[in-house]
Amino acid sequence: MTGGDPPTGVPILGAETIVVGYSIWGPFVIQDLLQHVPSSTYVLITDTNLSNWYCSAFAAEFKEQISARGTEARLLQYDIPPGETSKSRATKAMIEDWMLSEERDPPCDTKTVMIALGGGVVGDMIGFVAATFKRGIRYVQVPTSLLAMVDSSIGGKTAIDTAAGKNLIGAFWQPQRIYIDLQFLNTLPAREFINGLAEVIKTAAIWDEKEFAALEASAETLMTAIQTPPSTSNDRLSGVKETLKRIVLGSVRVKAHVVSADEREGGLRNLLNFGHSIGHAYEGILTPQILHGECVAIGMVMEACLARHLGVLKEPAVSRLVKCLKVYELPVSHQDLVVQERSGGKKCSTKELMSIMGVDKKNDGRKKRIVLLSKIGQTFEKKASVVADQQIRIVLSSAIEVHPFASKSLEVVCTPPGSKSISNRALVLAALGQGQCRIKNLLHSDDTEVMLRALTDLQCATFSWEEEGEVLIVDGKQGYMRAATKDLYLGNAGTASRFLTTVATLATPGNARSSVLTGNQRMRARPIGPLVDALRANGASVHYMESEGSLPLRIEASNGLEGGEINLAATISSQYVSSILMCAPYAKKPVTLRLHGGKPISQPYIDMTTAMMAAFGIEVIKSSEEAHTYHIPQGQYQNPSEYHVESDASSATYPLAVAAITGTTCTVPNIGSESLQGDSRFAVDVLRPMGCTVKQSKTSTTVTGPRKGKLFSLPEVDMESMTDAFLTASILAAVAQGPDNNKTTRIVGIANQRVKECNRISAMRTELAKFNVTCRELDDGIEVDGTSIEDLSPPADGVVCYDDHRVAMSLAVLALAAPNPVMIREKECVGKTWPGWWDTLAQTFGVRLEGVDLEAEQNKESKILRKACQSLFIIGMRGAGKTSVGGCAADMLGWPFVDLDTQLEHETQSSIPELIKFGGWDEFRTLETSLLRTSMLKKPVEHVFACGGGIVETPEARSLLIQYQKSGGLVLFAHRDTEDIMTFLQQDKTRPAYVEDMRDVWLRREPWYRECSNYEYFSPRLQTVPLLGTSKDFRRLLESMTGQTEQLAQIQSKAHSYFISLTVPDVYEALGYLDEIVVGSDAVELRVDLLKNSKTGDEIPDLQFVGRQLQLLRQHTDLPIIFTVRTKSQGGKFPDDAHHESMALARLALRMGVEFLDVETWYPEKFIRAIAKSKGHTKIIASHHDPRGTLSWSNGSWVPYYNRALQHGDVVKLVGTAKRQQDNASLLDFKSWANSAHETPIIVINMGIDGQLSRIQNSFMTPVSHPALPFKAAPGQLSAAEITQALSLHGVIKPQSFYLFGKPISASRSPAMHNALFKATGLPHHYGLYETESVADVETVLTAPGCGGGSVTIPLKLNVRQIIDEISEDAKIIGAVNTVVVTSYPKNSNSAGLRLIGKNTDWQGMRLVIDNAGAQRESGKSALIIGSGGTARAGIYALHQMGYSPLYLMGRSPEKLQRVAESFPKSYQLRPLSSMLDATDIDSSLVVAIGTIPADKPIHAGLESMLRKLFQITAQASPQKRVLVEMAYKPSTTALMHMATKGGWNTIAGLEVLAAQGFFQFQAWTGITPLYRDVRAAVFGSER
């Protein structure tokens, strides 16, 4: 028996079969079993984790009691792998076969009793085994997880999962006993513990409001115990045993009561599925990475929001449920960061969710049934309610479609939520006050939740709810508080961040001596510097933990400010002023607060603060003698017994604007002329002048809009006193037109709106433009040109809200006036201030809404909204090539380029030396920083800026750059060899000379450059623009920075893909054979752990050496790079304990824009998250290697490693060790399961000789070696060619035939070329000749089984287009096809169709040989095409793509040349030459020519004359490299080549182009890039 309190019995179905207590597993359970569930055979089933902890002692005790009783009974035990994957048909069959086996001696019979020891997986499955074994045997449940204790173990539901869904095969089979031993929870991991609490919260939410309130009150105590690490030696539950037993018994009794009343789930039992209808759908997608309880928590929130949308549940109840789930650290949305990380960013499309919900057992046919709350502790019906799919989609979808307003007349009353500004102030004042305060109409939003949570963590008050969450009870502690022991995470709540910065200074030290304020990425970019400066000046100790001037902050607990005089800059945010005002009474001396810098921003909000302080007993005196000066006495706030929060006046502008824009009437009942809020003037000062009828009393406002489309524009309106309302005014201005034909509304006084949740001025300009509305940004405002409602043009791809609630609600109002529905993305962002906004539109205004499933549409180009890339700022020393780099970047990206030094000179009408001479360095730096800030604000997207070398010299400029790049902007540090820079600086006279040693300047600035940038580019030599413009490595860096690379998608599209693992100590050693070893590979892995710097010999290579290695590799291969630092425990050479060095290397890789970064998942979570957070567009390969073979693919032991890799990896890589061939079969089963569960691509292979088969079978990114490398990166590694040969032998890669079509072709060298390449790459294909002039013949051959494609030559290049299904863009422009690729597509489930793809590789071949010849490619260089046929057209296209302009055309027929020129776009700059007099500057500009005329007959006399004249002119011109490409194959030296050579030209024979175009043909057919020298060797044979 147990010590302490005896176990408690709970009746179910008429018998007391549930037993709840502590430490009952063991003697008590054995005695009870033997007495009440007697049997000769007990079968204990558990998982391998629990077996080690709990089974051996139980078995020993069982044996002892059997012996003492003299009873004959045996205890058998069977262990299964842990995890949801065991809840399957396969595991059930294994258990049954084991129980029936003769080895049991005797086998189990009908009297056998099964004991299910474990969580829900074990209980559900063993119950189903018991229900079906021998047509049903007895079993008992011993749940070990909280989830199983309060839910799955009770009620007799048993089931297994299938591919179609969870729990779809099972039975009702009641256990004989349920032993709930709460002591099991002592060793339960915290996440599993919290997972079970979701069911506890669910039960209280549907049944018992008092128990729900008790859960809210117990949260801190329970979570403290839960978060204590689990242990068998330490009882972490000692302080919460009574509480824990109470809540478990509460849930157990409710479920037992419901099951007893409705065992087979006919109605009442449905209530227990609150949160499950939608939660199970999420679980179907997110399992096993997201646990059942976590999915149910998300489901509860969604189903509560659905009830709110249907009008049966009030917002405070939803908010209360959300708060309770959050305080127990349960997710409330699948978009929660923790869910995204754990699930690997898995998408949950509404379509997929609805599909899974469609097979819910509660459904009534096609009708979905969902449990709806009516309040906390009560459901809308005593069963699940039928809900229409349309309503469910609205709640589940990430976007919403707002239909045009349809009602002709409408009069409504709309009460917006409480004011965010007043709510946050009331919370602070009441928390700092003395006594109890009942706050009514408090805003339930993300912002106030953040504030409540932070004030709770600071222990400055206690909070509780009454009246279904509509009244908040605050018990203030008179300003007493403790420093927070955990970081105060504020999300994007700007008000909370500013208020709490000062509040935290009032704390006294406790378990912590300081408090940390932090937030999301956007919050960490918002300014807080002026407030911190003022606090520091008054004795507060506040430290910036990252960027100067913004969160996160560490604030020392100092028991209040010193007091006295405080000076504050108040021109950025009035919240700085309010923050100090509210805390000033608790300073050590009375405070005089002086605001400097001019007129304070948003004065009404300062007035609001002082008025509220008066309501709480502190009178602030505004000085009558000094402007903007306040005197605050010492004292304590005295809490009023009740405080009523006004509705939010900014939010009230939206329903009033609905009336204005639709011509209807709306009354807001608690915003009037006596409101504390400046925005209350919106109706009077904005809507009335726009033509609305406005009636405003002291406490209410009614607006009636004019006839639809008849709003007036406003010449100018100053909204400085109501800046947040400018968005509402802007959307009304979009459809307003003045009586005097003036359509422009000018809104000013809103400069602070650039630094809100987003740059709101820019956001409105951008989004209104999508409606065909023109706006212009002003320094402190915006101009909007109104248009007629009929001319509004809703964007097909919808509008973006920038995660800003006010943008979303404003655009929703405009959507009502649009002629067609408008899709609004990020609909959930309204939760910041008005979570029920969409419900209000539907319920109050009758607006039709539709959910839009963006996740399901993400692969449809029509639905993709390509987010504009943020602008690029380039920093670095003067002389590092910033202007050159910037100019090239602008050309490559197609963005405007701005040199900020040049821009500054233009704006000031002074040179840089003059600015410094007359204003000094400080003034220059101020101007420089101001221009930087302006550029970031006014040109935030798709611009390239080159900054001055000293931009990093001031803290303010550094802060701007750091904040910019941390919020997703691009800052590139450009540098080159230090000696080159020093030489340049000594020679450059365009800027003032340095007043200190240049090297000292460099050493000081270098760490700042790195701190301020998120990318870097190193050029080992000074490069001019033309050279840099052709730099492939720089282009690839830009593509990586801007996300323009699709490397992963391209690799995924291939049937088989590989990456070569470099095993060299220095990349330089591999350059001689690099092009050979990468053949067949799709990426190159740089094994950093194998690199050795010969100069230092250190075990860990230094960053500079690795950076040069990476740059060298990128300059010599076009393949994407995988950056890998493999540790010793994972089979590599890098020290396991060198975390800091590994992190530094990873950051270097990200800064240099590698395409892939291998991250080992055994590293600490903090390490991995830091990398994932800063990865930009680099794809992470999350890897785990098991070189010692301790894990098995067949028993689930790999699942935790897979789940962890999914959290952060764009690609998952798991590498085991095969000990036998069967391990490869088990690996395939694991891979099949993983691919069915998640879309994240996965590499799964085994090491060792026995594992080679797994490498052959792995089709995605298989790591390979090559005989030329020093050694293999892992045992059992094969080459790409070896794997291809093996796949061919196994019939996976099937032989294909390729042909050359045309006539005459008998002398073609294409068969020799392509067959040699097939052999070299291990492919079983064959290339032959098919001589024909008939397109019909070509079609017959291409569509025959086994044909992979073909080459097309004369006379078929033009006519073959008629049989082609899809022609590439280049072939369309050229008008000819020389390459056909045969692809298949799924026609139906049983057959595939063929598709012929036409391409042109002639132009690619021309471009390649011209580049290989070293032809000049720079601005101002022209080219010539000789001839006017199909090959000439390919030449034109090639030369245009290479940037040559103009392009001269020369041929025998001027008319034909003119027709060719007219058939191309004008941008090609084609200039037909009828004589050499037509060519200007050709002597100096012409550097490339392509000859496409026949070589087997004399050149036309007129053409020959022109050519001779041309070559004479160029021979006499200044010497420069000129290249002629001859397209004719025979003779080897043509007449044209002979003339060109005499004129000093380099000539390229036609066979070179044949080889080059064949190179690209082979790529098109196979996806393999061959070795170019192999191509040439096959073409030229013995000739070379």
Side-chain angles (χ1 to χ4, degrees), residues 157 265 269-277 303 362 371:
K157 282 187 180 181
E265 204 164 354
R269 190 168 177 178
N270 281 341
L271 298 187
L272 297 173
N273 286 302
F274 172 56
H276 286 62
S277 298
E303 292 178 18
K362 298 185 301 300
V371 179

Side-chain angles (χ1 to χ4, degrees), residues 923-982:
E923 177 64 22
F924 170 68
R925 294 294 180 215
T926 299
L927 291 171
E928 184 181 46
T929 302
S930 176
L931 180 58
L932 174 66
R933 181 186 295 104
T934 302
S935 301
M936 288 177 172
L937 289 173
K938 293 192 172 181
K939 297 176 180 177
V941 298
E942 298 187 350
H943 281 71
V944 179
F945 297 92
C947 301
I951 191 70
V952 296
E953 288 285 358
T954 65
E956 187 177 359
R958 293 199 297 272
S959 178
L960 285 171
L961 289 165
I962 291 169
Q963 290 173 17
Y964 181 75
Q965 52 107 337
K966 286 196 173 181
S967 61
L970 305 174
V971 182
L972 175 67
F973 169 31
H975 61 121
R976 60 187 179 99
D977 187 81
T978 308
E979 295 302 322
D980 285 349
I981 293 178
M982 296 303 135

Side-chain angles (χ1 to χ4, degrees), residues 1072-1206:
Y1073 53 81
L1074 184 62
D1075 57 349
E1076 176 185 352
I1077 65 175
V1078 301
V1079 172
S1081 290
D1082 304 279
V1084 181
E1085 181 182 40
L1086 179 63
R1087 282 288 299 271
V1088 179
D1089 56 301
L1090 301 179
L1091 295 177
K1092 286 286 183 185
N1093 187 342
S1094 59
K1095 294 181 180 178
T1096 64
D1098 295 336
E1099 181 182 23
I1100 298 176
D1102 61 272
L1103 291 178
Q1104 187 174 19
F1105 172 73
V1106 174
R1108 300 291 174 86
Q1109 292 280 295
L1110 182 54
Q1111 189 84 5
L1112 189 64
L1113 181 60
R1114 177 166 267 167
Q1115 288 170 344
H1116 287 83
T1117 180
D1118 293 334
L1119 294 179
I1121 294 172
I1122 302 171
F1123 189 93
T1124 299
V1125 182
R1126 185 71 64 234
T1127 58
K1128 291 179 179 179
S1129 63
Q1130 298 276 295
K1133 298 292 186 183
F1134 202 80
D1136 291 328
D1137 57 356
H1139 291 191
H1140 177 77
E1141 292 83 353
S1142 182
M1143 172 64 83
L1145 287 166
R1147 290 195 185 282
L1148 172 69
L1150 295 176
R1151 289 177 59 80
M1152 296 187 70
V1154 296
E1155 289 82 1
F1156 296 94
L1157 174 64
D1158 184 294
V1159 178
E1160 295 174 353
T1161 59
W1162 71 270
Y1163 276 115
E1165 183 73 11
K1166 185 177 181 181
F1167 176 101
I1168 300 176
R1169 285 193 181 189
I1171 293 173
K1173 187 177 173 183
S1174 56
K1175 72 173 186 173
H1177 295 288
T1178 294
K1179 302 301 182 185
I1180 288 181
I1181 300 176
S1183 68
H1184 185 79
H1185 295 65
D1186 179 29
R1188 287 176 287 279
T1190 58
L1191 302 175
S1192 169
W1193 300 109
S1194 61
N1195 69 2
S1197 56
W1198 271 103
V1199 172
Y1201 297 94
Y1202 174 60
N1203 291 343
R1204 182 162 170 79
L1206 272 177

Side-chain angles (χ1 to χ4, degrees), residues 84 229 266 303 382 476 533 536 637 652 676 712 715 727 777 854 888 915 965 1001 1212 1241 1401 1407 1436 1564 1576:
E84 191 78 23
E303 292 178 18
K382 292 297 182 184
D533 291 343
R536 283 174 169 176
Y637 294 115
L676 295 172
F712 296 148
L727 299 98
E777 291 189 45
L854 290 182
C888 264
L915 287 172
Q965 52 107 337
V1001 174
V1212 171
T1401 61
R1407 181 179 64 178
I1436 292 170
R1576 293 187 73 257

